[in-house]
Amino acid sequence: MPEASARDLFPGALEMMILESLRRQPAHGYALVQHIQQRSNNLLQVEEGSLYPALQRLLKAKLVKAEWGVSSTNRRVRTYRIRPAGLRHLEQQISSFERMFEGITLVLDPGKSPAS
């Protein structure tokens, strides 16, 4: 079995991190990449080839909206904002992730007893 990269993410993880970043404040693509990298202590590197398709999926699902504007460096940028449906989706995804992580932890640490 080939060794997976330490930076591989499970399906939906990038979208979840984008939504969480946008919950904190609206941002353009480069700012999202920087935020995720900083918050992960440089453990996660998001490439444009992954970020923009994820943003398009979120736009298509009406979980975020985008507006064109001008950056502080006088460049045209697309700024993304989370929608109320995006907030609800994010909460559901976080809850599902926490349950999955708890199950994985129980399997990996057999000394822990399941919560009753």
Side-chain angles (χ1 to χ4, degrees), residues 2-99:
E3 185 177 324
S5 166
R7 296 182 183 175
D8 285 349
L9 299 174
F10 62 88
L14 179 56
E15 288 85 349
M16 192 167 44
M17 290 186 293
I18 291 169
L19 290 172
E20 179 59 35
S21 298
L22 294 176
R23 175 166 51 178
R24 298 176 187 283
Q25 68 180 24
H28 54 81
Y30 181 73
L32 287 167
V33 167
Q34 294 298 103
H35 182 258
I36 291 168
Q37 185 175 335
Q38 290 169 354
R39 293 286 301 192
S40 71
N41 290 330
N42 296 315
L43 292 172
L44 301 174
Q45 308 285 325
V46 179
E47 304 294 331
E48 286 184 22
S50 300
L51 177 72
Y52 289 103
L55 284 167
Q56 288 304 310
R57 289 190 295 274
L58 293 169
L59 283 166
K60 188 176 180 181
K62 298 192 185 316
L63 300 177
V64 301
K65 61 182 175 178
E67 303 169 340
W68 285 102
V70 179
S71 73
S72 58
T73 58
N74 211 24
R75 297 183 126 192
R76 193 162 185 244
V77 294
R78 197 168 189 196
T79 301
Y80 299 89
R81 296 179 186 276
I82 193 167
R83 293 176 176 252
L87 288 170
R88 290 189 298 275
H89 180 78
L90 176 60
E91 291 300 325
Q92 292 168 348
Q93 292 298 322
I94 289 172
S95 177
S96 176
F97 173 76
E98 288 172 344
R99 284 191 311 276

Side-chain angles (χ1 to χ4, degrees), residues 94-109:
I94 289 172
S95 177
S96 176
F97 173 76
E98 288 172 344
R99 284 191 311 276
M100 178 183 68
F101 187 73
E102 180 182 1
I104 291 169
T105 301
L106 290 170
V107 171
L108 296 178
D109 186 358

